[in-house]
Amino acid sequence: MRLVDARALKSLALTAAVVLAFALSVLPVAHLMATVVYRGAAAIARNFPSILFDIPAAPGSRELGGIGPHILGTALLTSIAFAVGVPISLLAAVFTAEAIRSWERIVGRWTRLLVHMMVEFPTIVIGIAVYGAMSSVAPLVRALVPGFRPFSLLSGVVALVLVSAPYMYLQVEDGLKSVPQHVREAIYSLGASRLLTSLVLLRYLKSTVYAALSVGLARMVSETAALFFTAFGSDVYPPLDANLLFRPIGSLTLAVYTLGLSGYENWIELSWAASLVLLLLCLTLFGFSRLLLRGERLGYRSPR
Amino acid sequence: MGSKRSTDFFCLASAFNVVLMLSVALVVSVLVLRSLPIIHRDGVYPLVTSVWNPTREEYGFLFALGGTLVTASLALLISLALSVGSAVAYAEFIPQKLRPAVKNFMDLAASIPSVVYGLWGLRVLSPFLRSYLMEPLSALGLSGVLGVPSPAGTSFLSASVLLAIMVTPFASSIIRERLLAVPMHVREALYSLGLTKPEVILLELRYIRRSVLTAMAIAFSRAVGETAAVAMVVGNTINPNFFRVFSPGYTISSLIADQYPNAEAYYYMVPALFYAALAMFAVGFAVNVLLLRYGERR
Amino acid sequence: MGIAVHVEDLWVSIGGRDILKGVNLKVPRNVVFAVMGPSGSGKSTLLRSINRILDLYEGVSVRGNVVVEGVDVYDSRTDPSMVRRLVGMVFQIPNPIPNLSIYDNVALGPKINKLVKSRRELDELVRWALEKAYLWEEVKDRLEQPASKLSGGQQQRLCIARALAMRPRVLMLDEPTSNLDTVATSEIEGLIVELKRDVTVLLVTHNPFQASRVADYVAFMYDGQIVEVGPTGQVFTRPAHKLTEKYITGRFG
């Protein structure tokens, strides 16, 4: 009977250890979310709604100011990067998935391999590589745009595209590959061209595609490291003129970073506010992609 | 399948594949090309020394390389325990009804911006670890070995714990899926031998050990490259004693993030930062190559 | 001649559906006892309820009594692991633990349940079990190879050896040959007849001819109930029930 007792003890110890590990992996994140909501909401409530439009107040002052330039920066960076990145990733994915001839297949295979590698690149590496490239071409660009510096909205957009397009590409390509061959054949049998077929397939995979795009967008919104050397960050509104693309610009993530590390209480408060805005954006995009994928799974099941 | 007529348009799409391939090539070649000046001047010297003195154009970043390896390894150890443990808890103890909620929560945790983790790590986690872990252990006389905590608690250890918290949801989800995918007939075989639950769980973990390894390798390479969160909690201090985990220091990514505003003021600092990035990239790349060779095929 | 397994008014439902509807069964010691019946009749569930492997599934509820070698299986104080050590089980799909070697597959049970005191004793036990399963000669030179390298029939005999190494009192086989070819099937059937000297064999099969070839007693099961039980000769020559007659003459479903 002693054997059984030892076993029961072991079982109890394992259960305890496992439950502890579970708690330790869930509770910190829960605490984080609660803190961000609590501190962020407090900051936003203190100076609502001008916190959404003002620039940060002087460091250490009693005023709070706002994160207006950073919200604008994130909006500009992500919307332009999204507009550039989506066509690239969608069309590259279509080409890879629908490649037939041998040269097409080779191109597809290499794209896939390289993009697979790129997804695991640290984003800081992508950031400084874009900076490196931009600063190399800066003398040439200055001939056209005298004020050009590598630290600019343009660099930030390029960096975000490189961070996010690989994700969208892989997701969409996986989706296209999972389309049953008979569906594809059915569309071809109607006499559709390859391009048209691809577009029909993308529509067939609508929710997968939208989910991939929303994950890609979330990555752009939440990216920090790739922007240090590119968008650079700024706490003031850029002049809205023809050179907008060539000037440094702020973002919510850069605001969380620099204001949070500043050591001034009013800036740290702003940092929490920016965190809450980021968290809400990510939550929304996350929920959106979940909703879409749930619909997708049901959609697949229903014909049977 | 494709008709001749349509091919011409379709082939235009290959331009976008070329864009993607070129950008990968661009990233790698820029890293190499831009670090050439300092490689040419100093060779491997920056990799093996810890003297960082921009005013004298000296850039040894061993302290950051060591900091990266120490924080990522420590994070890996913590995360191994947390992710295996929570995956087992999920597969064996969480009732079916609660599983979707837990799963969504873990996935959501993985999608919170890392800079938000960084702010929480700086303002909440670091002071907490300082008061409840580092100070008591230092009082026991361990500070000689593990270093003296900084007032804010920012340290290699804080960075490791924060990294572990960040990579665990992801690592745990891989292990969890594989654990649930252990075939029922294998589990039946084990239970039919009279094995108890802990014994079966240990054998199941052995059965999926390649997946555990894979999850951990990916987690490690992410921990190596993670920047914003680490740069906020590691303390950003030149500290050649990177084994003193209670003390603040640098990792490569935080060195780059912290130095970028003034990099252009010196001749060799930009190449030095590229060299450091190249070194970090090589570490992550090596892990991924090992993964391709020895990990499970995904 | 004592009773090895006694099942008394056993009701099992899975996900609200009744699978077993009041099964009664007495299995004497050291015989081959076959439970036959069409698929879906509840045979596998019956086996799985005897060693409580059914505990692994969700939404299962069990009413009734099972006593194995004097142990009340469903008593709240009974440790299911202990029951499973008393009752070895072989499954429909040969299921060696794929990442363990041939040797380790057999040694796993004795090692974990501490049946042996030394490596030598373990070696002997593994050899004994493999010999009993007629596998020793084929694998003695490659005991360290992964079990997944064996053929289907060999894998199934390995599973039998794995069960035997636990020194169980009862060996349950759940359609052990349904995934094997005819040669492997006749090997396993020969083995089953031999095994009754050491253990009580409880065999589940959907093939009445297999039952008639190997069993001393047969039970015919249909729709969660035992329709007829008796010595093999009697059931096959003078079936008392119309359904049984239809089944053993192959005019079923």
Side-chain angles (χ1 to χ4, degrees):
Chain A
M1 252 12 251
R2 279 203 55 217
L3 191 69
V4 173
D5 289 343
R7 281 182 156 187
L9 210 66
K10 217 169 116 186
S11 187
L12 199 70
L14 177 107
T15 312
V18 151
V19 168
L20 183 70
F22 183 75
L24 285 179
S25 54
V26 170
L27 290 183
V29 182
H31 188 274
L32 176 146
M33 287 198 216
T35 312
V36 169
V37 169
Y38 175 72
R39 306 281 308 258
I44 291 175
R46 198 184 130 187
N47 194 13
F48 190 80
S50 43
I51 194 168
L52 301 176
F53 310 109
D54 286 356
I55 63 168
S61 81
R62 282 161 186 266
E63 298 297 306
L64 193 55
I67 47 175
H70 314 96
I71 293 176
L72 174 73
T74 289
L76 283 173
L77 280 164
T78 52
S79 57
I80 302 173
F82 195 66
V84 176
V86 166
I88 295 178
S89 30
L90 283 189
L91 285 163
V94 161
F95 184 82
T96 308
E98 306 298 317
I100 291 167
R101 300 189 203 152
S102 63
W103 75 267
E104 295 171 351
R105 282 169 184 270
I106 290 166
V107 168
R109 209 173 310 134
W110 275 95
T111 313
R112 218 186 137 69
L113 182 77
L114 289 173
V115 170
H116 244 297
M117 279 169 51
M118 182 134 124
V119 164
E120 293 296 333
F121 283 5
T123 54
I124 183 100
V125 165
I126 293 176
I128 75 164
V130 170
Y131 162 79
M134 285 296 184
S135 59
S136 302
V137 299
L140 293 173
V141 181
R142 264 187 219 118
L144 298 168
V145 188
F148 179 75
R149 283 190 62 207
F151 297 139
S152 63
L153 172 56
L154 177 66
S155 302
V157 165
V158 174
L160 288 188
V161 169
L162 294 191
V163 164
S164 180
Y167 258 86
M168 300 192 279
Y169 164 87
L170 288 176
Q171 298 281 321
V172 174
E173 210 246 315
D174 280 345
L176 282 170
K177 264 208 198 119
S178 72
V179 172
Q181 195 59 25
H182 65 88
V183 174
R184 193 170 274 126
E185 283 167 359
I187 302 170
Y188 275 120
S189 73
L190 296 175
S193 69
R194 265 210 285 178
L195 198 60
L196 188 60
T197 307
S198 314
L199 295 179
V200 175
L201 286 179
L202 284 182
R203 271 196 66 186
Y204 176 80
L205 288 171
K206 208 164 45 191
S207 27
T208 308
V209 172
Y210 286 152
L213 298 191
S214 75
V215 171
L217 188 59
R219 279 184 72 79
M220 291 181 180
V221 169
S222 53
E223 183 52 47
T224 316
L227 295 180
F228 285 140
F229 269 82
T230 54
F232 197 79
S234 159
D235 288 340
V236 293
Y237 279 103
L240 295 170
D241 58 16
N243 278 348
L244 179 66
L245 268 178
F246 309 110
R247 289 205 192 86
I249 194 152
S251 85
L252 281 167
T253 49
L254 290 172
V256 175
Y257 183 82
T258 47
L259 300 177
L261 271 173
S262 68
Y264 300 108
E265 279 312 316
N266 62 333
W267 279 16
I268 289 166
E269 252 185 275
L270 283 179
S271 178
W272 286 112
S275 292
L276 179 58
V277 176
L278 278 173
L279 187 70
L280 291 178
L281 283 173
C282 288
L283 259 168
T284 310
L285 289 167
F286 177 82
F288 185 58
S289 69
R290 274 300 135 109
L291 227 65
L292 286 168
L293 288 178
R294 180 186 293 168
E296 177 79 342
R297 252 175 264 136
L298 290 177
Y300 267 129
R301 237 180 257 153
S302 54
R304 278 171 206 164
Chain B
M1 259 194 295
S3 67
K4 247 211 159 77
R5 187 166 39 88
S6 62
T7 330
D8 309 292
F9 292 109
F10 184 78
C11 289
L12 292 180
S14 68
F16 297 97
N17 289 58
V18 174
V19 168
L20 284 180
M21 288 193 281
L22 279 182
S23 35
V24 181
L26 180 92
V27 169
V28 178
S29 55
V30 167
L31 275 193
V32 175
L33 288 176
R34 292 302 298 264
S35 33
L36 280 181
I38 196 158
I39 296 177
H40 187 70
R41 194 190 74 165
D42 293 344
V44 294
Y45 196 71
L47 297 173
V48 292
T49 57
S50 286
V51 182
W52 184 271
N53 193 343
T55 48
R56 292 172 57 196
E57 296 285 345
E58 288 176 325
Y59 303 102
F61 51 77
L62 174 65
F63 61 92
L65 196 56
T68 291
L69 292 176
V70 165
T71 47
S73 309
L74 197 55
L76 185 74
L77 284 180
I78 302 169
S79 170
L80 179 67
L82 291 187
S83 53
V84 169
S86 59
V88 169
Y90 183 92
E92 298 284 342
F93 299 106
I94 305 277
Q96 203 88 39
K97 274 185 195 154
L98 283 177
R99 284 186 182 181
V102 172
K103 205 173 129 163
N104 275 329
F105 182 81
M106 298 279 244
D107 291 350
L108 175 65
S111 68
I112 296 174
S114 65
V115 75
V116 175
Y117 275 101
L119 182 63
W120 179 81
L122 175 68
R123 305 297 302 178
V124 178
L125 180 69
S126 299
F128 176 86
L129 287 176
R130 181 183 193 275
S131 312
Y132 295 100
L133 188 70
M134 296 190 261
E135 288 275 291
L137 288 179
S138 295
L140 290 175
L142 282 174
S143 56
V145 190
L146 297 174
V148 181
S150 70
T154 50
S155 59
F156 289 123
L157 181 76
S158 306
S160 304
V161 173
L162 185 63
L163 281 171
I165 292 170
M166 290 171 71
V167 297
T168 294
F170 157 79
S172 175
S173 73
I174 294 186
I175 300 170
R176 171 229 299 162
E177 294 308 319
R178 296 309 310 255
L179 209 53
L180 290 175
V182 170
M184 196 61 198
H185 66 82
V186 172
R187 309 187 62 198
E188 283 191 327
L190 293 171
Y191 277 107
S192 77
L193 293 175
L195 272 56
T196 58
K197 211 173 204 183
E199 292 158 352
V200 171
I201 289 170
L202 288 177
L203 280 162
E204 282 181 336
L205 287 174
R206 197 173 145 185
Y207 179 72
I208 62 162
R209 65 186 184 279
R210 273 182 159 231
S211 311
V212 176
L213 222 75
T214 305
M216 287 300 127
I218 300 175
F220 183 80
S221 76
R222 291 199 177 172
V224 166
E226 176 50 50
T227 306
V230 173
M232 290 184 87
V233 299
V234 78
N236 294 341
T237 311
I238 294 172
N239 178 1
N241 296 317
F242 41 77
F243 287 104
R244 306 239 158 118
V245 292
F246 286 0
S247 52
Y250 265 124
T251 64
I252 290 203
S253 58
S254 71
L255 177 74
I256 298 171
D258 194 43
Q259 298 285 335
Y260 80 100
N262 49 7
E264 286 186 328
Y266 304 94
Y267 285 109
Y268 281 95
M269 194 190 287
V270 171
L273 292 181
F274 272 101
Y275 195 14
L278 187 64
M280 174 176 78
F281 179 76
V283 172
F285 194 73
V287 171
N288 276 311
V289 169
L290 284 178
L291 199 63
L292 272 181
R293 264 201 77 129
Y294 299 107
E296 87 182 315
R297 288 184 60 90
R298 278 176 300 156
Chain C
M1 195 167 67
I3 297 297
V5 180
H6 190 176
V7 179
E8 221 176 348
D9 194 28
L10 186 67
W11 290 72
V12 173
S13 73
I14 300 179
R17 228 185 96 228
D18 282 334
I19 308 292
L20 298 187
K21 304 166 182 174
V23 170
N24 290 288
L25 205 63
K26 278 184 187 170
V27 180
R29 286 207 184 104
N30 292 88
V31 298
V32 175
F33 192 108
V35 179
M36 57 184 189
S39 45
S41 56
K43 310 178 302 278
S44 287
T45 306
L46 176 60
L47 283 199
R48 281 173 166 72
S49 60
I50 289 172
N51 68 348
R52 286 184 64 174
I53 282 283
L54 221 48
D55 290 9
L56 305 185
Y57 295 86
E58 301 229 356
V60 174
S61 79
V62 179
R63 272 190 298 128
N65 273 326
V66 178
V67 180
V68 176
E69 294 292 352
V71 175
D72 184 351
V73 172
Y74 283 96
D75 188 286
S76 60
R77 284 160 300 176
T78 304
D79 173 14
S81 303
M82 196 266 279
V83 177
R84 292 173 197 145
R85 272 171 263 148
L86 210 56
V87 185
M89 185 160 180
V90 175
F91 298 83
Q92 188 167 0
I93 305 166
N95 59 352
I97 320 295
N99 58 327
L100 294 187
S101 70
I102 294 170
Y103 181 93
D104 285 337
N105 258 282
V106 183
L108 181 65
K111 247 198 293 197
I112 285 191
N113 292 302
K114 301 200 174 64
L115 296 185
V116 288
K117 289 183 189 69
S118 66
R119 173 80 192 192
R120 249 197 63 211
E121 238 182 289
L122 183 63
D123 285 346
E124 278 168 17
L125 181 57
V126 169
R127 179 175 177 161
W128 173 83
L130 285 169
E131 278 174 347
K132 280 282 167 197
Y134 292 146
L135 193 59
W136 176 252
E137 287 302 321
E138 290 160 58
V139 300
K140 64 181 176 191
D141 300 321
R142 45 178 180 143
L143 290 172
E144 297 313 316
Q145 277 186 14
S148 47
K149 292 239 167 100
L150 296 175
S151 74
Q154 287 173 326
Q155 288 194 9
Q156 195 59 300
R157 279 180 281 150
L158 180 65
C159 292
I160 292 174
R162 182 181 66 195
L164 289 176
M166 298 286 303
R167 298 300 208 138
R169 304 283 293 275
V170 179
L171 181 66
M172 306 197 299
L173 302 109
D174 182 10
E175 311 237 9
T177 62
S178 64
N179 285 293
L180 302 180
D181 60 37
T182 47
V183 177
T185 297
S186 58
E187 280 171 2
I188 301 274
E189 286 180 359
L191 177 57
I192 289 171
V193 178
E194 290 290 315
L195 284 175
K196 68 181 172 189
R197 277 186 282 159
D198 297 290
V199 292
T200 305
V201 179
L202 183 53
L203 168 74
V204 152
T205 176
H206 66 266
N207 180 347
F209 307 110
Q210 181 168 61
S212 74
R213 284 194 295 267
V214 301
D216 304 302
Y217 292 85
V218 289
F220 173 58
M221 200 166 173
Y222 185 73
D223 193 26
Q225 286 172 320
I226 302 282
V227 176
E228 185 166 353
V229 196
T232 308
Q234 183 193 316
V235 172
F236 273 85
T237 50
R238 296 186 302 279
H241 203 285
K242 261 270 174 290
L243 273 172
T244 317
E245 191 185 338
K246 255 175 99 179
Y247 181 72
I248 59 180
T249 51
R251 286 184 286 122
F252 214 92

